[in-house]
């Protein structure tokens, strides 16, 4: 029996690398997702909701080495299926199936699945949310791209992250041209690119060692790469590149540089130019990017964990250890929820749909927000006392009670009728599921629920068509400490008025604090 | 090559029994889910979002014969996992894990997975939405139960289904007592109960044949059962039972009848009594119910399909055929999205949490809404010209264009600036991703997008700090056919005013139509 019980206890947990979203966490998550959706909708984004699994062949060969992280379903007869790894490939599959669609602004908010080594502190889960918008269809150079970057700015501004994020920006064509100019052999370009991408996490010397010793690059070539990839800035850096004869003689680099100029013009029009950092070390992991790439980093705002280290630092340490343990040598910078400080990432990918439908010719550009990480950072800021205007309370507005003396029946039907009146006024209402609950039990329940108001029924008041409305937690001596009598006919309007007035006061107070 | 191409074409589909939610469908689905969430929140429901998969042991042994429909994940090392089959068992697992929680009003909106034979017309999918609210924790008889039924009424009223649904109501204790009174042997009670549950889909004679011939029930017993289970009503039926000496002498039946009386008193207080039908034939499939059970049916409102048959009828035919093909003899009435005309179902289950944590003592009562089916019926009503006040348009509000003569550069930066001004005013905005698009292309794009307004830039107007605001589709001769000039400084406010005014007119018009 004891053994049986132990066994039962052991079963009651959720799968490794997953979490149950409940309480204030799920409410904050929903508030964040609502803000992001609102921005997507303003930009005429249309929602797409695909199945959690895809036919195995759809995912196969899309994620390079990370394909080993895909969850497969058991073969129970019928199709072979896998859980989605991201939201981009299902979108490309959907575009390929709907060949009448030439243009589409699609957004998606869903969980994705990676059979990775979980690292909670690093925010690396096996099931996590992604929140993507992608513009499919023809665009003159950088027009759609600039709008995606404007969306990034609007999202973080609407989340009240002003001054706390930077959009790192680069272009695959500039990067590839740069490697050619420096003399990287064609076949080494992707692997050298992936080494460069680690410059945000390790010093140049380590990256150089990887290039020269692990990847066999000529040391002189590595040194030449350094003169480029350690540079970042804005229009100033762009002007330097325009004067770089070697770069401008390379067709790819030249096109990339000229279009980066166009992009900066458009970003200026969007009012987004001051949020970007043109960063020649940004490379991004995924193979399928063909033009502009970007990654959003947040510095100094990573949540602080118990021992005083920032999660970012801790994650870095832990990440390296785990990578070693897993024998991984590939960076996973394609995952916006993984990179230290990276909270969103994306770029242009012009040929993915063709993988499903030859000659489809549907160029795409998009962004994926790592919502779990945005959530963690926001939660840490709230814990430090910051307030956010979009974070709503989901506590009940009012708790319905009944008090009475000897022979009192608890008024269960009357409590239901009053509850219904308050619900119909749009209020959030609770009462105690006891036929005849004690006053102190009802007050305790109201307090636990966080209701700011109580409506109290009594037989005498009921006979006069009245109930008592009481604001919870008023100090002794307050003129309304014992509540005020309100006609039942006016109850919905009166309680609504009081609830709104109180929430206005709370808002003003929190604004003067922040 | 041709073969290769064929192979690629073959791959681009979504898995059997699943669908991609896009366009107006996903918007309508979201509107429905938002209405339901709002009702749940008013009743102090708290959201819970659990992982899509559970450890295999959590689901094992919870669904009887239907366990064969569970999707398992492949064993890739580590835990054995299965996709969730419903939202109830994950909730019970979560309650068992969080032993500090004694009371909880949890709601959940998520997809669930059943490896069933798909039947699109019947609305039987392998991946479909459920939308549940469950109240966990002690309640005096029928208090929490009555609130769950009040929620059902509020949900369908808020979805504007007034007069189109009936809540069938029964109690497991009345049903079990009734079988005992009629002389059904103890060990046959569950199987006879499941036969009775089919009375909404087949005539009594067929059900009787199943009882007597397949399940070996004495014919006289079956005839006695008939005298009960063909009865439905309200308080009248309850009064008849109260006078039934045999029933009142059975302890279970007596308790069920007395509490049904209490429930009806409370439902009257909720204003919900006229929505219910006390129906002695309602049995429901799941084993774990212990008290009140209910199922929401909608008659005459099932969507009509091409050949003029109602989906309900068609589904019935098809369902029987498939069940035969699958060799199934168990009814799947526990699935609210399957039963013909059933759009929600639930009941009280007092001992499920104990399956995970012995002596947990957390009684529960809840309801699950079959959202896919609610969606289909609502969509069919919209197709017939009905309107719903909560259904929102997600078309852009305004399309930004630029026109000009020779040497005109297309004003891409200026279009972006104007777009940004309109976005900042909270409007939904689009423009064409061409540097220098032709006027007719821009108008066509605006029309395709469904934008009711255009903002048109021109070099002359720009020089004066003005743009042209034009309502789309005005008749020839209308004074504003060519649009009106608006100062850029006033543009956000002016377009917002016009968009709101137009949507008010549209609302009023649709109200006078309906």
């Amino acid at each position: 029996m004891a053994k049986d019980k132990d066994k039962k206890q052991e079963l009651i947990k959720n799968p490794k690398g997953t979490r149950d979203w409940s309480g204030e966490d799920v409410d904050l998550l929903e508030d964040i997702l609502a803000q992001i959706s609102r921005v997507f909708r303003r930009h005429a984004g249309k929602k797409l909701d695909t199945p959690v699994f895809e036919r195995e062949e759809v995912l196969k060969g899309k994620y390079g080495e990370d394909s080993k992280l895909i969850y497969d379903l058991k073969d129970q007869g019928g199709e072979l299926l896998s859980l989605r790894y991201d939201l981009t490939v299902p979108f490309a599959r959907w575009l390929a199936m709907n060949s009448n669609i030439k243009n589409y602004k699609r957004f998606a908010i869903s969980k994705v699945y990676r059979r990775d080594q979980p690292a909670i502190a690093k925010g690396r889960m096996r099931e996590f949310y992604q929140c993507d918008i992608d513009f499919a269809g023809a665009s003159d150079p950088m027009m759609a791209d600039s709008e995606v970057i404007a969306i990034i700015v609007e999202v973080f501004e609407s989340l009240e992250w002003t001054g706390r994020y930077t959009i790192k920006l680069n272009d695959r064509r500039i990067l590839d041209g740069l490697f050619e100019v420096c003399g990287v052999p064609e076949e080494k370009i992707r692997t050298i690119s992936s080494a460069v991408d680690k410059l945000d996490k390790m010093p140049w010397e380590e990256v150089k060692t990887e290039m020269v010793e692990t990847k066999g690059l000529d040391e002189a070539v590595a040194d030449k790469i350094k003169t480029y990839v350690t540079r970042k800035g804005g229009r100033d850096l762009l002007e330097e590149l325009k004067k770089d004869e070697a770069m401008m003689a390379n067709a790819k680099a030249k096109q990339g540089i000229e279009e980066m100029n166009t992009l900066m013009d458009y970003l200026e029009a969007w009012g987004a130019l001051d949020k970007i950092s043109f960063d020649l070390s940004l490379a991004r992991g995924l193979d399928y990017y063909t033009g502009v790439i970007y990654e959003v980093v947040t510095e100094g705002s990573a949540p602080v964990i118990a021992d005083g280290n920032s999660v970012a630092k801790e994650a870095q340490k832990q990440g390296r250890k785990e990578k070693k343990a897993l024998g991984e040598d590939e960076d996973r910078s394609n995952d916006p929820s993984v990179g230290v400080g990276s909270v969103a990432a994306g770029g242009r990918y012009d040929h993915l749909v063709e993988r499903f439908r030859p000659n489809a010719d549907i160029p795409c550009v998009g962004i994926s927000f790592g919502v779990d990480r945005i959530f963690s950072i926001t939660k840490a800021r709230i814990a430090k006392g910051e307030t956010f205007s979009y974070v709503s309370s989901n506590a009940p507005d009012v708790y319905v009670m009944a008090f009475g003396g000897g022979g009192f029946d608890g008024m269960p039907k009357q409590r239901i009728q009053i509850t219904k009146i308050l619900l119909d006024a749009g209020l959030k209402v609770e009462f105690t599921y006891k036929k005849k609950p004690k006053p102190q039990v009802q007050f305790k329940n109201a307090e636990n629920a966080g209701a700011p108001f109580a409506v109290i029924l009594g037989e005498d008041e009921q006979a006069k068509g009245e109930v008592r409305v009481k604001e919870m937690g008023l100090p002794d001596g307050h003129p309304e400490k014992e509540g005020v009598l309100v006609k039942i006919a006016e109850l919905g309007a009166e309680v609504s008025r009081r609830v709104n007035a109180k929430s206005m006061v709370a808002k003003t107070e929190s604004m003067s604090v922040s």
Side-chain angles (χ1 to χ4, degrees), chain A:
Chain A
M1 181 61 202
K3 210 182 153 195
D4 242 37
K5 205 176 157 182
D6 282 356
K7 207 181 152 200
K8 278 213 169 128
Q9 293 295 342
E10 172 205 323
L11 298 182
I12 53 163
K13 58 183 177 190
N14 47 355
K16 196 174 165 185
T18 69
R19 59 166 295 180
D20 296 314
W21 287 93
S22 67
E24 288 177 0
D25 280 3
V26 73
D27 290 342
L28 176 58
L29 178 71
E30 293 236 304
D31 288 333
I32 290 170
L33 293 176
Q35 288 296 98
I36 299 177
S37 297
R38 231 169 269 140
V39 175
F40 288 173
R41 288 280 188 198
R42 275 205 299 270
H43 286 267
K46 296 185 176 111
K47 191 163 183 177
L48 176 68
D49 174 17
T50 63
V52 77
F53 42 57
E54 293 282 343
R55 292 160 58 86
E56 206 179 53
E57 306 94 331
V58 169
L59 303 192
K60 206 171 256 174
K62 304 300 181 303
Y63 303 105
E65 292 219 343
D66 284 351
S67 293
K68 66 178 184 293
L69 303 180
I70 294 174
Y71 276 101
D72 294 323
L73 271 76
K74 194 194 270 182
D75 182 1
Q76 294 170 290
E79 299 162 306
L80 295 177
L81 303 171
S82 302
L83 297 188
R84 66 179 159 230
Y85 180 88
D86 65 10
L87 303 177
T88 313
V89 168
F91 176 47
R93 189 264 304 152
W94 180 81
L95 282 172
M97 272 173 70
N98 293 277
S99 52
N100 56 319
I101 293 173
K102 302 295 175 213
N103 293 282
Y104 211 82
K105 294 175 177 169
R106 105 72 182 74
F107 75 90
I109 299 175
S110 288
K111 289 174 176 172
V112 299
Y113 299 88
R114 302 187 185 178
R115 220 171 45 79
D116 208 341
Q117 198 53 37
I120 310 295
K122 202 178 176 182
R124 192 204 286 155
M125 302 291 280
R126 291 183 162 187
E127 176 187 62
F128 58 95
Y129 275 99
Q130 280 194 343
C131 198
D132 289 20
I133 187 163
D134 293 79
F135 290 0
S139 163
D140 274 352
M142 298 296 176
M143 291 195 85
D145 316 56
S146 75
E147 185 162 356
V148 171
I149 295 171
I151 287 174
I152 300 174
V153 172
E154 272 181 60
V155 162
F156 286 106
E157 295 297 318
S158 83
L159 292 173
E160 298 166 25
W161 281 41
T162 309
R164 290 172 173 268
Y165 63 97
T166 303
I167 304 169
K168 288 161 66 171
L169 194 64
N170 199 4
D171 193 296
R172 270 290 168 85
R173 294 163 299 179
I174 297 177
L175 204 60
D176 288 356
L178 177 165
F179 292 134
E180 284 175 18
V181 164
C182 293
V184 178
E186 173 77 32
E187 74 279 7
K188 285 201 162 74
I189 283 187
R190 281 277 71 78
T191 182
I192 293 304
S193 174
S194 127
V196 163
D197 204 51
K198 295 177 189 171
L199 276 172
D200 60 342
K201 302 180 203 94
M202 23 169 124
W204 167 254
E205 286 311 318
E206 278 184 45
V207 171
K208 180 178 168 182
T209 304
E210 183 179 323
M211 286 180 175
V212 176
E213 288 174 19
T214 318
K215 299 185 168 167
L217 193 69
D218 190 85
E219 195 176 342
V221 173
D223 289 339
K224 200 163 177 197
I225 290 174
K226 186 190 175 189
T227 65
Y228 286 105
V229 298
T230 49
R231 284 148 80 185
K232 50 182 130 180
R235 289 213 189 255
D236 50 336
L237 175 54
L238 190 65
E239 291 309 314
E240 286 170 31
L241 290 178
K242 279 192 207 166
K243 287 177 204 140
D244 186 321
E245 285 176 20
M247 286 290 275
M248 294 306 276
N250 179 289
K252 272 189 220 166
K254 183 169 186 279
Q255 197 192 12
I257 290 165
E258 280 168 1
E259 292 192 8
M260 183 59 77
N261 195 64
T262 306
L263 177 59
M264 289 195 188
D265 286 350
Y266 292 156
L267 291 179
E268 196 164 30
W270 284 112
L273 191 59
D274 61 329
K275 308 298 189 301
I276 66 114
S277 165
F278 178 25
D279 186 334
L280 289 175
S281 75
L282 178 70
R284 310 264 308 114
L286 284 178
D287 280 353
Y288 56 57
Y289 290 116
T290 54
V292 64
I293 48 179
Y294 28 80
E295 191 171 295
V296 183
V297 292
T298 170
E299 284 171 273
S301 58
V304 170
I305 55 172
D307 64 358
N309 283 325
S310 78
V311 165
K313 264 194 209 158
E314 186 54 28
Q316 200 169 329
K317 259 167 40 196
Q318 206 172 330
R320 279 193 216 152
K321 231 187 301 168
E322 272 162 13
K323 270 189 189 160
K324 230 171 174 176
L326 281 165
E328 291 171 12
D329 60 355
E330 275 305 300
D331 185 36
R332 217 168 285 113
S333 54
N334 53 324
D335 177 353
S337 74
V338 166
V340 172
S342 153
V343 286
R348 173 163 286 281
Y349 52 100
D350 283 348
H351 304 298
L352 187 59
V353 183
E354 287 158 29
R355 301 278 299 273
F356 296 107
R357 180 158 50 86
N359 312 315
D361 193 23
I362 304 190
C364 296
V365 59
I367 179 76
S368 177
F369 292 89
V371 187
D372 294 57
R373 195 161 170 80
I374 291 171
F375 160 83
S376 297
I377 294 171
T378 308
K379 184 179 169 179
R381 287 173 58 190
I382 290 172
K384 280 194 259 169
E386 284 188 66
T387 55
F388 296 84
S389 66
Y390 58 89
V391 174
S392 54
S393 160
N394 282 306
D397 298 311
V398 49
Y399 208 96
V400 175
M401 314 176 180
F403 300 164
F408 178 64
D409 77 341
M411 304 177 80
K413 287 184 66 172
Q414 292 84 347
R415 277 185 283 143
I416 288 173
Q417 284 162 338
I418 295 297
T419 296
K420 180 69 178 151
I421 287 169
L422 295 164
L423 285 166
D424 287 346
L427 294 162
K428 290 181 226 157
V429 199
E430 275 194 285
F431 64 97
T432 299
Y433 296 145
K434 281 256 166 217
K435 234 184 126 180
K436 207 175 142 182
K438 292 188 184 125
Q440 54 271 40
V441 167
Q442 298 178 81
F443 268 118
K444 196 169 154 261
N445 289 347
E447 266 176 42
N448 289 345
F453 288 93
V455 166
I456 304 164
L457 284 69
E459 284 168 331
D460 294 350
E461 293 86 347
Q462 183 80 12
K464 288 184 278 181
E466 291 177 340
V467 292
R468 192 171 289 276
V469 175
K470 181 177 150 52
E471 184 171 341
M472 303 282 284
L474 288 181
D476 286 337
H478 190 285
E480 294 194 353
K481 174 77 183 167
E482 298 308 315
V484 290
L485 287 171
V486 174
K487 290 268 169 221
I488 290 173
E490 291 151 18
L491 187 65
E494 178 59 24
V495 177
S496 294
R497 195 188 62 73
R498 287 174 178 257
V499 165
N500 290 335
K502 193 176 164 77
S503 88
M504 291 290 281
V505 170
K507 265 215 172 113
T508 316
E509 275 169 4
S510 84
M511 275 165 70
S512 64
V513 165
S514 68

